[in-house]
């Protein structure tokens, strides 16, 4: 049951006015059983001073494209009520006219565009108004007998509004209905949600929560004689079995949902509520009826893909076959749906499912980012909650196909999507960087993230990797980067890391083989232990990481890019560094061997050969600095200048220089380049490739 989280002590510290609205909105949005992500809207009528210094009656309302849970004062829009009032007398108004008109009513044109449902708030004669999408209320509003049940529950305290798309007409209907019922305390919007009001911010919030609690208790009372979703049909697999299967099939799903070169990021949910639904008798039929709320459609599409698979009878190959045929059919049907309903100028979204339900396993979600995939999953979790309530009351009903399309491709909803940043070079890509905590690895990870990639930083130094991942997530959003502890010499650890990558993002697109170490000693003093250490980390380690990545990329079947971080010593025999130089040469040739095999799968493999990247490097903070200085007969603090002087360009090499070369190889600018070695060493003549 939802809770009333209003804190009286907190209220006392809030300045009256807009800050009250922000607090109330954040409280409402913080519970997704009260309001969907990105949905709902709140308002407050007050008096403000305009640009002329005159007091005007105005309304603060949620700006389009923001989320109640996180929005701040700058996400609200102020409009002059005197300019809006004449609209009450109009009989009709198109969406385009409404948006243009409201633009002229804004107190400050730097504010965001006002919510689609601004007039709903403006036409109601109350100081504070809240519109939400509570699970329990939508359960009532999506029941075939919803209006009769509402009468049983609320008596004459409610106004019922038949389904109509948000906008001018709906706003008028709500205002007229409330005016006609002096006992009205709430509005129930068929297949949509709830509207309440109050003289104070707290009164409006309290009424929202109280009405939801009434509906929740009513549903539970009705449920006492019914079995949830018709009872269980399939047994869920164990947690370990689910994790193992998801690691294997999520890259496969990722490849199948890709469309015309457009990839998706994946996430999954196997929580108890999801498993209860996907394993139930009614799951398939209920899931195909339609969306539980118009707000869901843009993120979840009209219906999810339900995979026809019996976990207790079929194996992994049977699941993959069901996924393949299911996604193929879904795409065909979505394209047909678009063609039946499209209007001139409509541009089809990718036709792949955003929600995939798998008996025994749970739910897989797709999106252009991890955040988008999680939004789809979060909204469908709400849909399941709605259906759980509705089936206790009656039969679940949804919008018809035509109206679903009109909402999904509604310009006013699409406007919210336009507010998102433009996709960058590595959007929808996942980059896996070994040695992610080091100088080159950390800078490469930062640059990938700055251009849209989701990044996995794998390193034995997990504290260092976590620090860089946290920095990236603070800059670009939670979930953009993931730190994993991984030993490149441990085959099981590498397999586990790639399994985690599959479950977290759906797979990998870019591998940066960068984990490193270095030792220095005269050849006749090189011990077998030293030789083997170099071979284990820089040879076998690079082989194991590349092999696991190659396998996962083949399963995805969407190509991929690997970049090996070699060295000047890959082509130059470094003095007193026979073990290091030999294995660096091995790396470069291994990369070319993989490139020769990877071409038919669209997997490109290239090498970057740096020299003396001292900044931020753990290697150069070790005995290697003293050993290399001794080999050149100089002091350790003279190394930077020594390396600079021996280059033809007279420069030092920094992690950012190497990172830029890595990103070039991984980008579309190098999409026809493989098996290549690029030197980034300032020009060391002895290491010029021949």
């Amino acid at each position: 049951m939802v809770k009333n989280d209003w804190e009286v002590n907190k209220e006392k510290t809030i300045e009256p006015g807009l800050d009250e609205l922000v607090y109330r909105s954040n409280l409402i949005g913080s519970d997704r059983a009260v309001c969907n992500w990105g949905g709902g809207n709140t308002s407050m009528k007050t008096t403000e001073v305009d640009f002329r210094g005159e007091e005007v009656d105005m309304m603060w309302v949620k700006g389009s494209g923001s989320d109640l849970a996180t929005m701040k004062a700058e996400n609200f829009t102020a409009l002059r009520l005197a300019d809006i009032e004449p609209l009450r007398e109009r009989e009709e108004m198109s969406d385009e006219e409404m948006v243009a008109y409201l633009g002229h009513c804004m107190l400050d044109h730097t504010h965001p565009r006002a919510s689609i449902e601004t007039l709903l708030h403006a036409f109601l004669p109350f100081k504070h108004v809240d519109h939400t999408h509570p699970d329990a209320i939508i359960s009532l509003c999506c029941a075939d007998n919803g209006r009769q049940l509402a009468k049983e529950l609320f008596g004459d305290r409610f106004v019922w509004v038949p389904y109509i798309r948000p906008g001018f007409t709906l706003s008028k209907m709500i205002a007229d209905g409330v005016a006609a019922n002096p006992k009205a305390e709430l509005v129930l919007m068929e297949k949509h949600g709830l509207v309440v009001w109050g003289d104070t911010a707290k009164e409006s919030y309290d009424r929202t929560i109280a009405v939801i609690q009434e509906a929740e208790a009513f549903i539970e009372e009705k449920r006492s004689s019914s079995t949830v979703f018709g009872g269980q049909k399939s047994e869920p697999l164990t947690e370990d079995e689910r994790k193992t299967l998801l690691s294997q099939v999520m890259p496969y799903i990722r490849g199948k949902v890709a469309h015309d070169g457009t990839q998706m990021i994946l996430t999954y949910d196997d929580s108890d509520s999801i498993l209860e639904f996907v394993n139930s008798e009614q799951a398939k039929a209920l899931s195909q009826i339609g969306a539980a709320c118009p707000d869901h459609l843009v993120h979840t599409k009209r219906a999810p893909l339900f995979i026809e698979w019996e976990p207790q009878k079929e194996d992994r190959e049977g699941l993959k076959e069901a996924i393949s045929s299911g996604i193929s059919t879904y795409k065909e049907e979505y394209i047909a749906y678009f063609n039946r309903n499209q209007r001139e100028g409509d541009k089809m979204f990718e036709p792949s499912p955003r929600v995939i339900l798998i008996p025994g396993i749970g739910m897989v979600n797709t999106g252009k980012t991890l955040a988008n995939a999680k939004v789809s999953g979060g909204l469908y979790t709400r849909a399941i909650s709605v259906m759980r309530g509705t089936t206790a009351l009656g039969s679940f009903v949804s919008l018809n196909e035509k109206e679903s399309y009109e909402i999904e491709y509604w310009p006013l909803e699409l406007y919210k999507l336009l507010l998102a940043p433009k996709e960058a070079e590595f959007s929808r890509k996942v980059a896996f960087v070994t040695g992610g905590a080091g100088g080159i690895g950390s800078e490469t990870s930062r640059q990938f993230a700055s251009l849209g990639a989701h990044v996995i930083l794998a390193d034995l130094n997990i504290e260092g990797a976590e620090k860089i991942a946290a920095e990236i997530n603070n800059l670009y959003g939670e979930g953009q980067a993931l730190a994993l502890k991984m030993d490149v010499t441990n085959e099981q650890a590498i397999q586990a890391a790639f399994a985690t990558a599959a479950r977290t993002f759906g797979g990998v697109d870019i591998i940066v083989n960068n984990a490193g170490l270095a030792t220095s000693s005269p050849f006749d003093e090189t011990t077998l232990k030293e030789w083997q250490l170099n071979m284990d980390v820089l040879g076998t380690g690079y082989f194991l990481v590349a092999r696991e990545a190659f396998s996962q990329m083949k399963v995805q079947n969407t190509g991929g890019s690997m970049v090996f971080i070699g060295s000047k010593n890959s082509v130059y025999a470094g003095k007193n560094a026979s073990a290091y130089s030999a294995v660096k040469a091995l790396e470069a040739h291994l990369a070319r061997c993989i490139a020769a095999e990877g071409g038919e799968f669209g997997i490109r493999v290239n090498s970057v050969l740096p020299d003396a990247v001292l900044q931020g490097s753990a290697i150069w903070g070790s005995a290697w600095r003293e050993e290399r200085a001794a080999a050149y007969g100089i002091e350790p603090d003279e190394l930077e200048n020594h390396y600079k002087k021996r280059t033809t360009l007279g420069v030092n090499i920094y992690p950012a220089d190497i990172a830029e070369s890595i990103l070039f190889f991984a980008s579309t600018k190098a999409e026809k380049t493989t098996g290549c070695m690029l030197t980034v060493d300032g020009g060391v003549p002895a290491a010029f490739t021949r």
Side-chain angles (χ1 to χ4, degrees):
M1 180 173 281
V2 302
K3 296 185 300 180
N4 189 315
D5 290 324
W6 191 278
E7 297 180 39
V8 176
N9 291 335
K10 173 79 172 178
E11 178 188 6
K12 293 175 181 176
T13 67
I14 299 172
E15 288 290 324
L18 184 56
D19 286 350
E20 288 181 286
L21 180 59
V22 172
Y23 175 63
R24 181 172 106 235
S25 302
N26 292 165
L27 271 188
I28 288 171
S30 65
D31 188 341
R32 296 307 184 192
V34 174
C35 198
N36 294 325
W37 181 91
N41 30 77
T42 53
S43 69
M44 177 187 68
K45 299 179 180 73
T46 185
T47 301
E48 296 285 349
V49 176
D50 70 5
F51 71 96
R52 299 165 297 182
E54 297 181 4
E55 287 192 346
V56 294
D57 291 333
M58 48 78 61
M59 178 178 72
W60 288 101
V61 68
K62 174 193 172 186
S64 186
S66 49
D67 180 45
L68 287 175
T70 56
M71 63 193 303
K72 308 300 180 189
E74 61 267 22
N75 300 122
F76 287 89
T77 301
L79 301 108
R80 291 181 291 270
L81 286 170
D83 292 338
I84 296 175
E85 283 171 4
L87 297 183
R88 238 352 227 114
E89 306 306 316
R90 291 186 61 163
E91 293 301 320
E92 58 183 33
M93 191 177 203
S94 70
D95 291 342
E96 294 75 16
E97 285 182 283
M98 181 182 71
V99 169
Y101 188 99
L102 291 176
H104 293 295
C105 302
M106 292 170 62
L107 200 67
D108 185 337
H109 286 276
T110 65
H111 290 174
R113 180 196 277 188
S115 166
I116 294 167
E117 292 168 312
T118 292
L119 294 183
L120 179 159
H121 296 263
F123 288 171
L124 288 173
F126 309 110
K127 185 171 182 179
H128 298 270
V129 178
D130 293 329
H131 165 46
T132 54
H133 307 118
D135 293 352
I137 294 297
I138 301 178
S139 294
L140 186 66
C141 294
C142 281
D144 60 337
N145 53 344
R147 187 167 190 166
Q148 292 80 5
L149 291 169
K151 182 70 175 175
E152 180 183 341
L153 172 59
F154 296 115
D156 55 5
R157 297 158 47 209
F158 77 101
V159 171
W160 180 274
V161 181
Y163 176 78
I164 184 172
R165 201 178 317 150
F168 178 82
T169 303
L170 176 61
S171 301
K172 285 263 293 182
M173 289 172 64
I174 289 174
D176 291 345
V178 171
N181 181 2
K183 295 183 179 180
E185 296 177 4
L186 62 135
V187 176
L188 298 176
M189 304 159 73
E190 185 179 329
K191 303 184 182 75
H192 190 158
L194 171 70
V195 180
V196 302
W197 49 85
D199 292 329
T200 66
K202 185 176 186 301
E203 183 180 326
S204 190
Y205 173 78
D206 286 348
R207 183 171 291 175
T208 293
I209 301 303
V211 168
I212 297 169
Q213 289 174 341
E214 283 185 82
E216 288 178 329
F218 182 74
I219 290 169
E220 288 311 306
E221 182 183 338
K222 296 288 185 181
R223 187 193 307 284
S224 60
S225 60
S226 64
T227 304
V228 177
F229 301 133
Q232 182 174 286
K233 178 181 179 180
S234 302
E235 282 284 341
L237 301 176
T238 67
E239 183 178 357
D240 286 344
E241 289 171 333
R242 294 197 301 271
K243 287 178 70 173
T244 298
L245 261 180
L246 284 163
S247 300
Q248 295 167 349
V249 302
M250 283 183 74
Y252 187 75
I253 292 173
R254 189 163 183 245
K256 292 297 180 181
V257 297
H259 185 75
D260 289 345
T262 301
Q263 290 177 257
M264 306 293 274
I265 302 297
L266 272 56
T267 187
Y268 79 95
D269 188 339
D270 61 352
S271 59
D272 290 345
S273 62
I274 299 296
L275 289 172
E276 177 186 53
F277 182 69
V278 300
N279 293 318
S280 72
E281 289 283 353
Q282 297 174 351
K284 182 185 176 185
L286 283 171
S287 68
Q288 302 308 299
I289 290 173
C293 178
D295 278 58
H296 294 188
L297 275 161
V298 175
H299 300 282
T300 66
K301 300 194 172 176
R302 188 183 181 210
L305 168 61
F306 188 89
I307 299 296
E308 300 275 8
W309 182 67
E310 296 185 55
Q312 272 68 47
K313 297 180 181 179
E314 299 180 73
D315 60 10
R316 183 187 68 174
E317 290 307 311
L319 176 57
K320 290 175 74 172
E321 288 175 12
I323 288 169
S324 178
S325 62
I327 292 174
S328 178
T329 300
Y330 189 99
K331 286 183 178 181
E332 292 171 4
E333 291 178 350
Y334 187 87
I335 292 169
Y337 155 80
F338 178 83
N339 290 336
R340 284 194 302 271
N341 296 286
Q342 68 173 310
R343 302 154 304 198
E344 185 177 353
D346 284 352
K347 184 177 179 182
M348 188 178 71
F349 300 134
E350 76 286 335
S352 305
R354 302 269 176 81
V355 179
I356 301 172
L357 304 174
I358 311 175
I361 295 178
M363 173 173 66
V364 174
N365 300 102
T366 73
K368 66 180 181 179
T369 66
L370 185 72
N372 286 119
K374 286 186 173 181
V375 166
S376 297
L379 289 173
Y380 203 76
T381 299
R382 302 270 55 89
I384 290 172
S385 178
V386 168
M387 289 184 285
R388 197 176 195 276
T390 297
T391 52
L393 300 172
S395 297
F396 175 61
V397 293
S398 181
L399 306 179
N400 61 36
E401 178 184 298
K402 184 64 176 175
E403 183 58 24
S404 295
Y405 179 89
E406 293 295 326
I407 288 289
E408 188 176 356
Y409 287 89
W410 187 24
L412 295 190
E413 278 292 343
L414 298 183
Y415 173 77
K416 297 178 184 179
L417 302 182
L418 294 176
L419 298 177
K422 184 179 179 181
E423 292 192 48
E425 171 69 41
F426 296 107
S427 292
R428 303 173 184 260
K429 302 289 187 184
V430 180
F432 190 109
V433 182
T434 68
I440 293 174
S442 61
E443 179 60 25
T444 299
S445 297
R446 290 187 190 99
Q447 290 198 24
F448 268 128
S450 73
L451 292 176
H454 293 75
V455 185
I456 297 167
L457 299 93
D459 205 301
L460 269 176
N461 176 11
I462 187 60
E463 292 82 9
E466 287 174 339
K467 181 180 178 182
I468 304 302
E471 174 191 318
I472 290 171
N473 289 331
N474 286 336
L475 279 172
Y476 304 111
E478 193 59 39
Q480 199 73 27
L482 172 69
L484 294 178
K485 185 171 185 177
M486 190 184 81
D487 180 352
V488 298
T489 69
N490 185 317
E491 184 176 20
Q492 287 72 38
I494 292 168
Q495 290 170 344
F498 276 87
T500 299
R503 293 193 303 272
T504 304
F505 299 114
V508 295
D509 305 291
I510 301 161
I511 296 299
V512 182
N513 240 335
N514 169 68
L517 58 75
T519 63
S520 176
S521 58
F523 177 65
D524 58 347
E525 296 177 17
T526 301
T527 65
L528 179 59
K529 181 179 179 181
E530 179 184 344
W531 174 268
Q532 196 61 55
L533 176 64
N534 279 270
M535 291 297 163
D536 285 347
V537 175
L538 303 177
T540 304
Y542 278 43
F543 157 73
L544 290 172
V545 170
R547 188 187 64 179
E548 199 64 31
F550 195 90
S551 296
Q552 196 169 95
M553 288 174 177
K554 279 179 65 176
V555 170
Q556 286 179 170
N557 196 29
T558 54
S561 173
M562 298 189 198
V563 183
F564 280 39
I565 308 306
S567 166
K568 165 187 62 64
N569 292 47
S570 295
V571 294
Y572 172 72
K575 182 181 179 183
N576 289 359
S578 55
Y580 177 78
S581 297
V583 76
K584 280 296 176 180
L586 180 158
E587 283 177 17
H589 198 59
L590 174 62
R592 291 193 293 260
C593 291
I594 301 170
E597 289 192 44
E600 66 177 292
F601 307 109
I603 300 172
R604 301 182 296 108
V605 191
N606 296 287
S607 298
V608 175
L609 311 185
D611 183 37
V613 184
L614 279 67
Q615 188 183 64
S617 170
I619 292 173
W620 288 96
S622 67
W624 174 254
R625 177 184 281 268
E626 285 71 27
E627 291 165 354
R628 296 319 292 154
Y632 298 124
I634 59 176
E635 293 299 316
D637 60 5
E638 296 177 303
L639 271 175
E640 282 89 347
N641 196 46
H642 168 80
Y643 286 128
K644 179 178 179 179
K645 283 184 175 179
R646 80 178 184 186
T647 69
T648 61
L649 295 176
V651 294
N652 287 123
I653 308 302
Y654 299 107
D657 302 319
I658 309 306
E660 288 167 3
S661 300
I662 293 167
L663 265 70
F664 166 74
F665 272 141
S667 75
T668 55
K669 295 173 183 176
E671 63 185 3
K672 296 182 180 179
T673 299
T674 191
C676 179
M677 293 189 299
L678 176 63
T679 56
V680 187
D681 60 7
V684 179
F688 286 173
T689 53
R690 296 171 175 82

